[in-house]
């Protein structure tokens, strides 16, 4: 029987070794030292699985490897299972190492795609020969732990900016009380939970705060790696949810479906229409509709603070980052197959996972761009 051949990023034994060195536990410990030990150790078997898990299934199998934000990590986990059932000869593996690291990896040839919530810069597009396509919509929600609070918490961008700048420190501060006249707020310190450098959720959140608060824009600005003046950092989205659940008086930000699945209260946020809106698949989609129509072709648009009465103001795309050319024809064909599925059955799968699918008009335009890349 002929030996089974598994395609991997890198075509010869030397490149094979480089891939393993890149994702070895010591390398991960050095490059991602903020991760908990279990995260550092677990990436080696995960990547080894990416290379060899389909070896017993078929010859010439392809494992597409992606890395990036933890925001869409549950979605890529679902897609890994569902797409793998469709064609055993093409599998995907996703490593949640952060948006900025995901862009770096795809730029230097580490894997087949990246993922995250920060649009590529002109320099990244040119130097890495990269482009980005939106895959689904996400909403960054404010989650909190106030056990004795009865009623819905209202927050505005201005007040959130003051909290994350360290200017508002107590839950019963006048700025918060003014937004919540019918709620008895506790005399309790706000325990801010933020994200460390390189995170897509940082980019979306700071983009929103910078649009609504000049002081925040001047002192912190829009960044995946903001220099937060206050707060305790949580490495991954799931870590934010865990900290907020366990720390009384805490306030943090995560992607919408993390809050829903963890059953953590989320605040309503003031939008440009003067309404306090709670994130939902519908209000997230409304923000995209408002920002994109009537042209439906701005694939790197900022969706934060979009107009419209129903728009949730901290909405964003999550993008897939792709190289504009792929020299390996086999891997290129497999990636094309994956993109076709993402913009078809993958959208329905995303909705089942709690993410908002792309609006039909925008989806049609994204499909055209994806086909052009193929």
């Amino acid at each position: 029987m002929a030996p089974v051949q598994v395609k991997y990023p890198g075509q010869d034994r030397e490149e094979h070794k480089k891939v393993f060195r890149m994702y070895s536990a010591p390398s991960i410990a050095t490059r991602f030292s903020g991760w908990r030990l279990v995260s550092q150790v677990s990436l080696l078997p995960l990547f080894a699985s990416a290379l060899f898990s389909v070896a017993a299934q078929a010859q010439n199998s392809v494992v597409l490897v992606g890395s990036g934000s933890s925001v869409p990590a549950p979605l890529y986990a679902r897609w890994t299972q569902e797409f793998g059932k469709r064609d055993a000869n093409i599998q995907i593996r996703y490593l949640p190492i952060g948006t900025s690291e995901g862009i770096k990896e795809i730029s230097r040839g580490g894997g087949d795609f990246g993922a995250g919530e920060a649009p590529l810069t002109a320099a990244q597009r040119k130097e890495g020969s990269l482009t980005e396509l939106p895959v689904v919509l996400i909403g960054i929600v404010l989650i909190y732990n106030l056990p004795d609070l009865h009623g819905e918490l209202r927050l505005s961008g201005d007040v959130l900016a003051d909290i994350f700048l360290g200017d508002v420190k107590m839950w019963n501060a006048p700025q918060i009380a003014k937004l919540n006249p019918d709620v008895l707020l506790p005399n309790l310190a706000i325990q801010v939970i933020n994200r460390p450098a390189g995170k897509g959720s940082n980019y979306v959140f700071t983009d929103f705060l910078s649009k609504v608060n000049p002081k925040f824009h001047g002192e912190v600005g829009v960044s995946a790696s903001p220099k937060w003046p206050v707060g305790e950092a949580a490495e991954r989205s799931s870590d934010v949810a865990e900290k907020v659940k366990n720390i009384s008086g805490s306030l943090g930000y995560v992607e919408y479906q993390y809050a829903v699945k963890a059953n953590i209260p989320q605040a309503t946020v003031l939008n440009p229409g003067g309404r306090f809106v709670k994130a939902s698949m519908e209000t997230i989609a409304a923000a995209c509709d408002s920002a994109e129509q009537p042209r439906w072709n701005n694939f790197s648009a900022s969706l934060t603070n979009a107009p419209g009465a129903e728009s949730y103001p901290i909405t964003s795309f999550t993008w897939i980052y792709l190289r504009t050319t792929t020299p390996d024809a086999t891997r290129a064909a497999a990636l094309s197959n994956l993109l076709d599925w993402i913009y078809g059955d993958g959208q329905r799968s995303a909705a089942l996972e709690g993410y908002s699918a792309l609006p039909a008009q925008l989806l049609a335009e994204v499909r055209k761009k994806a086909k052009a890349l193929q």
Side-chain angles (χ1 to χ4, degrees), residues 115-137:
E117 293 72 51
L120 295 172
T121 65
Q124 287 168 338
R125 292 190 185 99
K126 181 179 179 181
E127 294 167 9
S129 297
L130 300 180
T131 190
E132 72 265 59
L133 294 175
V135 289
V136 294
L137 306 173

Side-chain angles (χ1 to χ4, degrees), residues 16 42 116 172 187 240 251 254 286 297:
H16 190 176
S42 66
N172 62 348
N187 183 26
V240 177
L251 175 70
V254 292
N297 62 358

Side-chain angles (χ1 to χ4, degrees), residues 4-10 15-21 23 43-56 58 60-65 91-93 95 111-112 331:
V4 174
Q5 179 185 3
V6 178
K7 295 282 186 178
Y8 51 81
E15 286 204 29
H16 190 176
K17 293 176 184 177
K18 288 180 182 178
V19 169
F20 268 102
R21 285 200 298 269
Y23 288 94
L43 281 175
L44 178 58
L46 178 59
F47 197 79
S49 172
L51 295 177
F52 297 118
S53 65
V54 296
N60 299 318
S61 295
V62 178
V63 180
L64 298 172
V65 180
Q91 302 289 306
I92 57 176
R93 295 293 183 269
L95 309 175
D112 301 283
R331 302 195 70 78

Side-chain angles (χ1 to χ4, degrees), residues 250-271:
S250 57
L251 175 70
Y253 52 97
V254 292
E255 205 283 319
Y256 164 69
Q257 58 85 29
Y258 279 94
V260 172
K261 290 178 180 177
N263 196 30
I264 306 175
Q266 57 166 299
T268 61
V269 183
L270 186 66
N271 74 8

